[in-house]
């Protein structure tokens, strides 16, 4: 447990039960809560489990435990019992010492290396079109979870599995070949991924025309789709590609490089990065040896047409194809092989896949197969699943009218941040360069915070305007708070870790803020264990709110005496550091001034 006073209270409660009632109560039965706002105190012990041993009323039991604790734990200044809840007040001197000695220290909230390795696979785009809003959620989640786990002591590998082969890639290639007139990113000034995406859309449009024409000739929808000349050509291209045709391969290399250049720009703008890239063009044949192994072990079975299946009805899932009758692989064949490759190469303890919830079933099956095959690492696999992101209709139109392009959205966010910041009118003395950086920081902070504060499983409505509200539950509100604290510290000429300062007593605003800051390590721990950036995001907001309350209620620069002033500056500096660090783990920058 990161907060030692909590640990002490649990241990001393166990000792109290022994001393008072002669019984051994397991630590796990002692639960602590934050004391409710309307009661006196900061930490509450739930005494109901103890009544089993005391054989007395909850009130009586709470009072007896409270007296024992007050006599034995120096930090306790008072207690009260309400309906069996033992509310404990810790002395001001306890909280003051905690700030000076623990929270204000540079290593507060830093975890030592835990010797464990973990891979986070995220992003994993297809190279036939640019990234969209859904990818943004994916990238932010993956990056943030990786940073949180790194802070918690893991050795992290950020991996990206790029889907760079298959019929969808042939569609954009074919459309470019037929209708592209030799267009390049240079000749059009378009980003490479957008150019390729444009031809993916062209394919779809032309293909639809062909389907309609065939249907007008009396073909069924299904037949028309199958026999449309463009589709037949795309399939022919895929066959040639797989047979090693030089022309196709060279076209693929050219267009794929356009896409990668585009992706790199998008990733840079988003502020995400990767340690390892996997390409499906290299991994798509993997997994076939695992199919054979599964057949030998009796985990898989063959049907008459030679296709290979797994029966997962014992787990409430159905039968699932793992290899086609003609020996070609399906999605899961590749993923079996890629999982093996990842573990062979990195020998990690855990592996997380950040992939949308439309693939929940796929990952259930994948993990289940690897368990059945007896892979020792199969228990360390986790699918970090997330829901869709929508925009309020009419707010922003994407190029194709359906999905929202990631680059467009980011540009729009930075623009909105600019407008809003200009309204605040505090940047007169900024250089153009500083302004541009600030708008970027705020625009991206707004976008990232809005997407990360929500539980990943929830479907999300992204409201660009609401996300930049400087007063709301937003990134910019937290960023603004950070800049405000930094401004106070600058005005005071504050130097980090000057002296240990004792103001004598604490106001309730100071106490609430110190208490919140003291929770930082346990929040990092919980966010890491639950792969939950949302917890950290909401925590940063709480700290910012408490700081603002403190700031409005207490004078800092004009405090009543030097000790109080020095103390409030130390408290401010700690709040700024913890806000900045929480936001860094979310991939969000905080400005020094704004
Ligand atoms: N190992 C995996 N299956 N990762 C997810 C790949 C996601 C895939 N490229 C898609 O866009 O749907």
């Amino acid at each position: 447990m990161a907060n030692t006073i909590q640990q002490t209270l649990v241990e001393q409660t166990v000792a109290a039960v022994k001393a008072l009632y002669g019984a051994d109560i397991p630590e796990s039965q002692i639960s602590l809560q934050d004391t409710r706002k309307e009661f006196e105190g900061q930490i509450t012990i739930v005494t109901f489990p103890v009544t089993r041993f005391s054989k007395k009323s909850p009130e009586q039991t709470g009072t007896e435990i409270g007296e024992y604790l007050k006599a034995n734990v120096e930090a306790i200044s008072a207690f009260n019992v309400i309906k069996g809840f033992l509310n404990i007040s810790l002395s001001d001197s306890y909280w003051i010492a905690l700030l000076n000695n623990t929270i204000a220290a540079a290593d507060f909230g830093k975890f030592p290396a835990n010797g464990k390795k973990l891979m986070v696979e995220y992003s994993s785009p297809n190279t036939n079109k640019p990234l969209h809003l859904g990818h943004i959620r994916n990238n932010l989640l993956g990056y943030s979870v990786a940073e949180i786990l790194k802070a918690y002591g893991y050795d992290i590998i950020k991996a990206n599995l790029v889907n760079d082969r298959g019929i969808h890639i042939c569609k954009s290639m074919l459309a470019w070949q037929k209708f592209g007139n030799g267009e390049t990113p240079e000749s059009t000034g378009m980003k490479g991924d957008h150019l390729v995406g444009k031809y993916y859309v062209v394919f779809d449009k032309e293909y639809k025309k062909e389907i309609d024409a065939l249907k007008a000739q009396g073909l069924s929808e299904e037949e028309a789709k199958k026999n449309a000349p463009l589709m037949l050509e795309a399939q022919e291209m895929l066959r040639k590609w797989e047979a090693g045709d030089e022309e196709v391969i060279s076209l693929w290399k050219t267009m794929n490089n356009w896409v990668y250049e585009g992706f790199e720009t998008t990733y840079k703008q988003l502020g995400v990065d990767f340690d390892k890239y996997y390409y499906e063009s290299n991994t798509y044949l993997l997994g076939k040896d695992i199919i054979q192994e599964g057949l030998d072990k009796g985990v898989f079975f063959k049907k008459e047409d030679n296709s290979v299946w797994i029966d997962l009805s014992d787990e409430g899932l159905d039968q699932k194809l793992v290899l086609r009758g003609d020996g070609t692989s399906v999605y899961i064949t590749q993923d079996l092989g890629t999982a093996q490759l990842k573990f062979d190469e990195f020998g990690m303890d855990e592996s997380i896949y950040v992939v949308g919830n439309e693939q929940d079933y796929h990952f259930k099956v994948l993990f289940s197969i690897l368990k059945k095959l007896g892979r020792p690492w199969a228990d360390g696999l986790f699918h970090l699943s997330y829901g869709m992101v929508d925009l309020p209709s009419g707010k922003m139109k994407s190029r194709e009218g359906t999905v929202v392009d990631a680059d467009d959205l980011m540009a729009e966010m930075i623009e909105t941040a600019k407008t809003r910041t200009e309204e605040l009118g505090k940047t007169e003395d900024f250089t153009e360069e500083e302004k541009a950086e600030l708008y970027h920081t705020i625009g991206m902070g707004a976008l990232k915070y809005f997407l990360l504060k929500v539980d990943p499983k929830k479907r999300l409505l992204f409201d660009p305007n609401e996300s930049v509200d400087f007063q709301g539950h937003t990134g910019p509100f937290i960023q603004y708070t950070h800049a405000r604290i930094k401004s106070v510290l600058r005005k005071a000429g504050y130097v980090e870790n000057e002296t240990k300062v004792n103001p004598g007593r604490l106001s309730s605003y100071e106490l609430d803020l110190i208490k919140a800051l003291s929770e930082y390590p346990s929040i990092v721990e919980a966010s890491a264990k639950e792969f939950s950036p949302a917890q950290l995001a909401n925590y940063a907001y709480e700290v910012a709110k408490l700081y603002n309350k403190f700031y409005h209620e207490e004078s800092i620069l004009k405090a009543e005496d030097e000790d109080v002033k020095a103390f409030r500056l130390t408290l401010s500096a700690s709040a700024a550091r913890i806000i900045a660090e929480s936001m860094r783990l979310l991939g969000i920058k905080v400005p020094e001034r704004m």
Side-chain angles (χ1 to χ4, degrees):
M1 199 175 285
N3 281 329
T4 49
I5 187 70
Q6 276 83 352
Q7 184 59 31
T8 306
L9 289 177
V10 169
E11 283 165 12
Q12 287 300 313
T13 304
V14 169
V17 173
K18 183 85 179 166
L20 296 167
Y21 316 121
D24 291 304
I25 187 168
E27 281 192 5
S28 59
Q29 286 191 23
I30 312 293
S31 73
L32 304 184
Q33 309 174 344
D34 284 348
T35 303
R36 289 170 53 172
K37 288 260 178 297
E38 59 267 39
F39 302 139
E40 195 72 29
Q42 296 104 38
I43 301 177
T44 293
I45 301 177
V46 187
T47 59
F48 297 102
V50 179
T51 55
R52 200 153 58 85
F53 303 101
S54 67
K55 310 248 171 1
K56 292 176 184 168
S57 72
E59 278 69 23
Q60 181 72 21
T61 309
T63 307
E64 288 176 5
I65 302 274
E67 275 159 5
Y68 179 95
L69 292 178
K70 183 156 188 309
N72 287 279
V73 181
E74 209 196 314
I76 298 178
S77 58
F79 71 88
N80 63 79
V81 183
I82 294 170
K83 296 197 171 124
F85 291 93
L86 170 55
N87 304 317
I88 305 234
S89 297
L90 299 169
S91 62
D92 286 355
S93 56
Y94 165 77
W95 292 109
I96 292 165
L98 189 69
L99 179 74
N100 280 327
N101 302 331
T102 308
I103 299 171
D107 63 351
F108 179 63
K110 302 248 185 311
F111 290 81
N114 66 11
K116 283 195 182 151
K117 214 185 250 186
L118 186 150
M119 179 178 281
V120 182
E121 186 214 290
Y122 71 100
S123 204
S124 301
N126 303 342
T127 59
N128 60 329
K129 50 185 172 193
L131 304 183
H132 55 73
L133 179 52
H135 286 114
I136 294 189
R137 190 177 201 184
N138 179 313
N139 281 287
L140 298 181
L141 276 171
Y143 180 84
S144 174
V145 162
E147 289 303 316
I148 291 169
L149 288 162
K150 206 188 272 179
Y152 187 51
Y154 277 89
D155 182 2
I156 294 291
I157 306 129
K158 297 177 192 160
N160 192 348
L161 171 65
V162 181
N163 182 350
D164 59 345
R165 70 166 293 283
I167 192 75
H168 53 294
I169 314 277
C170 292
K171 289 179 185 175
S172 8
M173 293 201 288
L174 186 68
W176 182 84
Q177 219 176 33
K178 291 179 95 76
F179 311 106
N181 300 315
E183 275 188 7
T184 64
E186 292 74 34
S187 76
T188 56
M190 270 174 101
K191 264 180 95 223
D193 51 339
H194 289 179
L195 183 65
V196 172
K198 171 179 156 186
Y199 285 100
Y200 187 72
V201 175
V202 168
F203 178 94
D204 247 14
K205 229 169 66 195
E206 297 298 324
Y207 178 42
K208 279 209 184 84
K209 279 191 212 157
E210 289 185 353
I211 293 173
D212 288 343
L214 289 174
K215 274 161 68 180
Q217 290 168 24
L219 265 68
S220 73
E221 172 97 27
E222 207 183 317
E223 284 169 335
K225 279 184 172 168
K226 250 195 233 155
N227 293 305
L230 268 176
M231 183 52 87
L232 297 177
E233 272 184 84
Q235 280 161 351
E236 175 58 19
M237 190 182 241
L238 183 61
R239 266 190 296 278
K240 279 187 173 168
W241 180 3
E242 269 163 28
D245 182 281
E246 276 177 28
E247 206 182 321
V248 177
I249 290 178
S250 133
L251 177 62
W252 169 66
K253 281 191 178 150
T254 303
M255 291 184 73
N256 232 31
N257 281 333
W258 294 346
V259 174
Y260 290 141
E261 279 168 25
F263 283 176
E264 273 318 303
T265 314
T266 308
Y267 286 148
K268 216 167 155 207
Q269 182 81 324
L270 254 181
V272 301
D273 55 19
F274 303 93
D275 305 307
K276 170 79 190 175
Y277 276 87
Y278 289 103
Y279 299 94
E280 290 196 16
S281 55
N282 292 329
T283 59
Y284 81 103
L285 291 173
L286 295 178
K288 292 189 184 181
D289 51 335
I290 300 181
I291 302 301
Q292 190 52 50
E293 175 194 341
L295 282 169
D296 295 344
K297 287 183 173 164
V299 173
F300 300 145
F301 68 93
K302 248 187 193 162
K303 290 198 176 172
E304 270 165 26
D305 64 353
N306 251 338
S307 57
V308 183
W309 296 72
I310 183 155
D311 185 355
L312 293 167
S313 49
D314 56 330
E315 299 182 29
L317 309 171
D318 26 337
Q319 292 189 353
K320 170 99 183 166
L321 177 77
V322 294
L323 192 72
R324 288 201 194 92
D326 62 6
T328 56
S329 38
V330 289
Y331 184 34
I332 205 158
T333 328
Q334 278 184 55
D335 247 341
L336 286 166
T338 310
Q340 184 69 53
L341 176 69
K342 287 172 169 180
F343 277 90
D344 288 347
E345 282 187 352
F346 290 97
M348 60 274 192
D349 303 277
E350 288 169 65
S351 187
I352 302 178
Y353 296 77
V354 184
V355 183
N357 60 10
E358 67 279 2
Q359 296 194 27
D360 282 357
Y361 181 71
H362 170 77
F363 284 101
K364 260 191 203 145
V365 174
L366 178 67
F367 299 167
S368 165
I369 292 177
L370 288 164
K371 271 178 209 159
K372 282 193 179 0
L373 290 171
R375 290 295 182 276
W377 37 262
D379 286 326
L381 299 168
F382 184 80
H383 174 205
L384 181 53
S385 167
Y386 61 90
M388 291 253 291
V389 198
D390 300 309
L391 280 173
S393 54
K395 274 264 162 76
M396 195 184 298
K397 283 268 175 298
S398 71
R399 281 195 185 90
E400 322 330 332
T402 45
V403 288
V404 178
D405 180 76
D407 297 316
D408 289 351
L409 180 65
M410 290 192 285
E412 168 109 11
M413 289 308 302
I414 294 166
E415 224 12 68
T416 312
K418 179 171 183 241
T419 314
R420 292 300 181 85
T421 312
E422 280 170 351
E423 283 164 16
L424 278 185
K426 291 191 175 167
T427 48
E428 291 98 0
D429 60 331
F430 277 55
T431 64
E432 287 310 309
E433 207 174 304
E434 285 169 338
K435 277 187 198 165
E437 191 189 327
L438 182 66
Y439 303 150
H440 185 272
T441 300
I442 295 175
M444 295 306 295
L447 173 64
K448 291 180 179 188
Y449 189 85
F450 205 92
L451 295 191
L452 286 173
K453 73 174 177 181
V454 180
D455 180 338
K457 282 184 212 63
K458 291 212 179 104
R459 193 178 173 134
L460 196 150
L461 192 67
F462 175 65
D463 188 329
N465 274 320
E466 192 187 324
S467 77
V468 273
D469 183 353
F470 285 106
Q471 314 291 338
H473 181 185
T474 64
F477 166 74
I478 301 169
Q479 291 174 318
Y480 187 71
T481 305
H482 180 266
R484 159 173 281 168
I485 304 175
K486 285 297 176 126
S487 155
V488 170
L489 295 174
R490 272 193 305 274
K491 280 185 193 146
Y494 175 79
V495 183
E496 191 85 34
N497 287 330
E498 254 173 331
T499 39
K500 308 229 153 141
V501 278
N502 191 344
R505 61 175 302 279
L506 292 177
S507 73
S508 68
Y509 306 104
E510 291 165 333
L511 195 146
D512 286 347
L513 182 56
I514 297 176
K515 185 164 175 262
L517 296 180
S518 76
E519 282 158 12
Y520 177 64
S522 51
I523 297 291
V524 172
E525 175 166 18
S527 308
K529 285 187 171 157
E530 293 162 41
F531 307 139
S532 169
Q535 278 193 52
L536 195 60
N538 286 285
Y539 170 76
Y541 177 60
E542 284 309 312
V543 171
K545 268 197 309 194
L546 290 172
Y547 186 84
N548 281 299
K549 264 197 198 133
F550 157 73
Y551 175 88
H552 288 298
E553 299 293 336
E554 310 283 0
S555 314
I556 302 172
L557 296 172
K558 293 188 186 129
E560 51 266 39
D561 66 50
E562 282 307 307
D563 275 353
V564 174
K565 178 175 168 185
F567 176 77
R568 288 182 182 159
L569 288 173
T570 302
L571 180 54
S572 298
S574 295
R577 207 186 56 244
I578 287 170
I579 288 174
E581 193 57 10
S582 303
M583 296 291 264
R584 185 183 70 76
L585 299 184
L586 300 171
I588 302 175
K589 291 192 180 128
V590 287
E592 292 295 305
R593 58 187 193 124
M594 62 189 269

